Amino acid sequence: ETQFARVTRTYSPPAFDPLSHTVDTVYVPARVSISTAAASWEFRDTVVVREDKSRYSTDLRARVLHPFRPQPGATYRLRVELPSGQTATAATTVPASGFLSVLTHHVLDRPESFLDEDIYIFAQIGSSARGYIVRFFIEFEIVESKGRETRRVEVPWSIRISTASNQMEPEYPTLRRRTSIESDRIPGREVVRFQNQAYQYARTAILNEYARSNVLFKRAVFVLIQADLNLYNYYNIVNGFQDQFSIRTDLPDFSNIQGGVGLFGSMTTDTLYVSYR
């Protein structure tokens, strides 16, 4: 329910060393607002404690909007105005709420009994989302003499054997492009697979770590994160080639701000809780 905006000036550091620049160049009097076709909200000035003051000794000056909860499916326009009259604008359409369901519940409950089957998740993606991630967590309780404590561990989507060490290495989900198109029978339909082996790897790691405690597996938690076009493009550009063999020497910039350089995007999060049987 809290949105922050930072508006800063560019600068030319001495000797081309950015770390030599020690004065924050934030635009304090900048006017920042977000609007839809029916309403408008204006940010106000605030100060946020800067945890790392090794470079800048002052706290963070920013603009804040609270309370403000973006609505799924809505389009918001950002406008920044400086005292000089210069303006910067951008727009984002928040992805619509998603939907998750487990297609192989029996594997989720008894993975050791279905070694040849994996866990498949059905994800319904909003029409304005360009990319998405489905994350999988095991929620469990540790029962000790001092009481109960609930914890979570993320499940990798796959396990691979390292050629260098010959050891199992977990691989976790990353942002992926949606594959469905509007001509599909069910627009926005995506299916995500988590290897049974990866699931058992996570469960075994929990049991090994808390071997001296009573561990009770409570439920599986699936989280669907949807990113709009702006966030998706930013993620892919700044991460370069997403493989093990390419080396990228350039550092490309991404900006969807008209009249400036920066990022204005949106994302939604939907969660499915599945109790173990």
Side-chain angles (χ1 to χ4, degrees):
E1 294 185 345
T2 304
Q3 311 297 322
F4 291 95
R6 288 266 292 165
V7 185
T8 59
R9 299 186 301 272
T10 57
Y11 59 87
S12 181
F16 303 102
D17 178 12
L19 297 180
S20 64
H21 189 275
T22 58
V23 179
D24 200 353
T25 56
V26 65
Y27 269 121
V28 176
R31 182 180 179 184
V32 182
S33 62
I34 288 179
S35 64
T36 63
S40 179
W41 301 265
E42 187 163 337
F43 289 65
R44 64 180 185 277
D45 190 25
T46 191
V47 177
V48 181
V49 175
R50 189 193 301 269
E51 295 183 0
D52 182 4
K53 294 187 176 181
S54 58
R55 179 178 178 188
Y56 297 123
S57 60
T58 57
D59 287 326
L60 290 164
R61 297 296 299 272
R63 312 297 291 175
V64 65
L65 177 60
H66 177 84
F68 180 82
R69 183 183 293 274
Q71 297 302 306
T75 297
Y76 295 94
R77 300 188 181 281
L78 171 72
R79 182 177 179 84
V80 178
E81 300 179 46
L82 302 183
S84 63
Q86 182 181 358
T87 62
T89 59
T92 179
T93 299
V94 182
S97 296
F99 173 81
L100 289 169
S101 64
V102 181
L103 303 181
T104 49
H105 206 303
H106 57 287
V107 182
L108 194 64
D109 292 323
R110 302 184 305 280
E112 69 283 350
S113 300
F114 303 95
L115 298 179
D116 294 332
E117 297 185 57
D118 294 322
I119 299 171
Y120 288 87
I121 309 301
F122 173 89
Q124 183 72 31
I125 309 300
S127 60
S128 62
R130 178 57 60 91
Y132 71 97
I133 305 175
V134 174
R135 302 179 68 187
F136 176 14
F137 298 88
I138 298 174
E139 191 170 283
F140 59 97
E141 280 188 352
I142 304 172
V143 183
E144 298 177 327
S145 58
K146 61 182 179 181
R148 296 171 178 258
E149 182 179 351
T150 301
R151 297 192 179 185
R152 281 186 184 180
V153 165
E154 184 168 6
V155 178
W157 71 270
S158 69
I159 296 291
R160 70 182 184 90
I161 305 299
S162 171
T163 55
S165 63
N166 200 34
Q167 299 292 321
M168 290 193 300
E169 294 185 353
E171 295 184 328
Y172 293 90
T174 57
L175 188 68
R176 63 171 68 180
R177 183 186 178 94
R178 62 183 300 161
T179 58
S180 58
I181 56 176
E182 294 303 319
S183 60
D184 286 348
R185 184 175 302 175
I186 305 178
R189 172 182 51 190
E190 303 285 345
V191 177
V192 179
R193 178 175 69 96
F194 286 86
Q195 289 181 355
N196 188 323
Q197 181 186 13
Y199 181 40
Q200 293 194 67
Y201 171 90
R203 287 167 63 100
T204 301
I206 293 172
L207 294 174
N208 290 340
E209 182 173 354
Y210 302 100
R212 297 182 180 180
S213 307
N214 290 325
V215 176
L216 299 177
F217 292 110
K218 302 295 291 184
R219 58 185 180 179
V221 181
F222 297 94
V223 179
L224 169 63
I225 301 172
Q226 300 181 75
D228 77 329
L229 175 64
N230 301 333
L231 283 184
Y232 176 83
N233 287 343
Y234 168 79
Y235 177 90
N236 280 278
I237 288 176
V238 300
N239 280 281
F241 297 102
Q242 298 179 40
D243 61 66
Q244 303 177 60
F245 309 105
S246 299
I247 297 177
R248 190 160 192 164
T249 57
D250 63 326
L251 296 175
D253 290 327
F254 172 84
S255 174
N256 67 310
I257 306 293
Q258 300 297 318
V261 177
L263 172 66
F264 182 59
S266 56
M267 57 178 283
T268 57
T269 301
D270 297 278
T271 306
L272 171 67
Y273 300 94
V274 181
S275 297
Y276 290 119
R277 297 172 182 172

